[in-house]
Amino acid sequence: MPRADRRPSRRTFLDVTGTMVAAGLTAGCTSDSAQPGRNAPSAAGTPTPMPVPATGRHQAGITLPQPPQPNLLAVVADLGATADAGPLLDELGRTIRALTAGDDPRLLGLPPGDLTVTVGVGPRLVRTAGASLPGATDLPRFSRERIAAEARGGDLLLQICAGNALLLSVAAAALLDQAGDRVRERWRQSARRGTNVPFGGGLAAQRNTLGFIDGIVGPHTTAEQERDLWLAGPPAVAGGTLAVLRRMELDLPRFAALSVAEQEAVFGRHRTSGVPLSGGTVASTPELGAKTADGRYLVPAKAHVRRANPTVVGTGLMLRRSYNTDEPAPGLLFISFQNALRTFTATLTHMDAADALLEFTTTTASATFLILPGFDRQHPLGSGLFG
């Protein structure tokens, strides 16, 4: 519930209101078409997003809803030296329940719709609960990084997603108001998904800033998610997962100067359809051994789908969520979820050696977080680790 002893400053109110106005000017351009089981028509005929339960075994905003909401705001913050993570997370969980139910006056009258808030804690906080726990390891540094100190790492992640872009800043302001001076914001990034492209089984991937379908491969079945996505233990983290955030600037002019065939060779897929260059359907596994009559690989040696292929790398699957960004520069906010950090680090290490796609990217922010298990009224957010 709202903190009675803290009121948003006039500057905070103006910042949020200005963001709402700006979002309102662009919301009509955001793709959020009705999906089966996702939206219900309102009396006026406008699709109304269905609510997403905030409580359960897993936090919302990872596998639910499907497809993901088109708008995202990621806020990364640090806890103060004297702040106690347990009570803070409990309060944030209560606030999330109130926001998603439409019961928090700090929503300023906006209906919550399909709003989700996903909370993660960084390696420093995880280590205070146990140095050997999943999520206690910091991300290593990689090539093609230009990351300021404030944009590397962090103690707390708030991933806020919604069909209505107006909700992002309003929900973030409410959560940060609840946290008060116990947290200090490091950086934030708003982003959006491109047009959804169905690829079978009720699944859809988005088309990214470079024009290609992004997020086809991943742990989509329940069995794959239990194997590669969700943490099975220890009990304090069971039902959670590990997230990696990487904000990347893209060299769009240089990529756009390539021919379509050259662009497709970078990805290893056809740009329009998403079908692998080795053939099949968009959902087909690329045949990395397939060759032309003169002995050339159909999927080039430096193609992204080859360098990031989990079988080639020797890792499990990662659930990838890529969002397109305009500020501070055109690019992507890449978010992956996996139950072993090595799934990401080994993949990027393999890509670093020869992936043609990385030649057009510069990473400007990077962090990893333990996404806490799901919660409810009887089991507060984070109580398994910090209770």
Side-chain angles (χ1 to χ4, degrees), residues 292-305:
T292 63
D294 60 357
R296 291 180 294 108
Y297 282 115
L298 290 174
V299 178
K302 296 177 65 176
H304 178 62
V305 298

Side-chain angles (χ1 to χ4, degrees), residues 54-308:
T55 57
R57 182 184 173 216
H58 312 297
Q59 288 194 65
I62 303 170
T63 57
L64 292 176
Q66 177 59 40
Q69 308 97 313
N71 304 296
L72 171 142
L73 174 62
V75 179
V76 177
D78 282 341
L79 266 65
T82 60
D84 190 336
L88 171 62
L89 292 169
D90 183 5
E91 288 182 38
L92 290 177
R94 293 170 186 259
T95 302
I96 291 167
R97 292 207 323 264
L99 288 170
T100 55
D103 296 334
D104 194 313
R106 291 171 292 192
L107 278 174
L108 305 178
L110 293 172
D114 57 0
L115 172 69
T116 60
V117 180
T118 311
V119 180
V121 291
R124 187 186 72 84
L125 282 187
V126 176
R127 287 192 292 269
T128 66
S132 62
L133 286 169
T137 304
D138 291 291
L139 272 180
R141 302 191 178 212
F142 296 94
S143 67
R144 299 180 178 89
E145 293 184 340
R146 191 180 68 243
I147 303 175
E150 284 293 293
R152 190 183 294 277
D155 289 337
L156 182 70
L157 167 68
L158 301 174
Q159 176 193 279
I160 305 166
C161 300
N164 183 354
L166 295 172
L167 284 165
L168 303 183
S169 294
V170 173
L175 291 160
L176 293 173
D177 175 60
Q178 191 69 44
D181 57 10
R182 291 173 292 181
V183 304
R184 180 184 65 84
E185 184 173 331
R186 274 176 168 258
W187 61 279
R188 65 171 59 196
Q189 182 65 53
S190 58
R192 66 193 183 282
R193 286 174 60 83
T195 304
N196 284 322
V197 181
F199 62 93
L203 300 170
Q206 66 114 20
R207 195 172 293 279
N208 65 28
T209 301
L210 295 173
F212 283 77
I213 301 173
D214 198 339
I216 298 168
V217 178
H220 300 307
T221 69
T222 300
E224 289 171 340
Q225 290 169 4
E226 291 299 324
R227 183 191 69 205
D228 294 331
L229 174 61
W230 304 119
L231 290 165
V237 300
T241 186
L242 303 178
V244 172
L245 277 71
R246 301 275 286 181
R247 184 180 65 198
M248 293 174 281
E249 293 182 3
L250 297 176
D251 191 341
L252 292 179
R254 193 159 66 89
F255 188 80
L258 300 177
S259 69
V260 173
E262 289 171 328
Q263 293 175 8
E264 292 176 339
V266 168
F267 275 90
R269 292 183 180 273
H270 292 287
R271 189 174 70 181
T272 300
S273 66
V275 171
L277 296 183
S278 55
T281 69
V282 65
S284 296
T285 300
E287 294 184 25
L288 301 182
K291 295 182 179 181
T292 63
D294 60 357
R296 291 180 294 108
Y297 282 115
L298 290 174
V299 178
K302 296 177 65 176
H304 178 62
V305 298
R306 181 185 293 274
R307 300 302 303 180

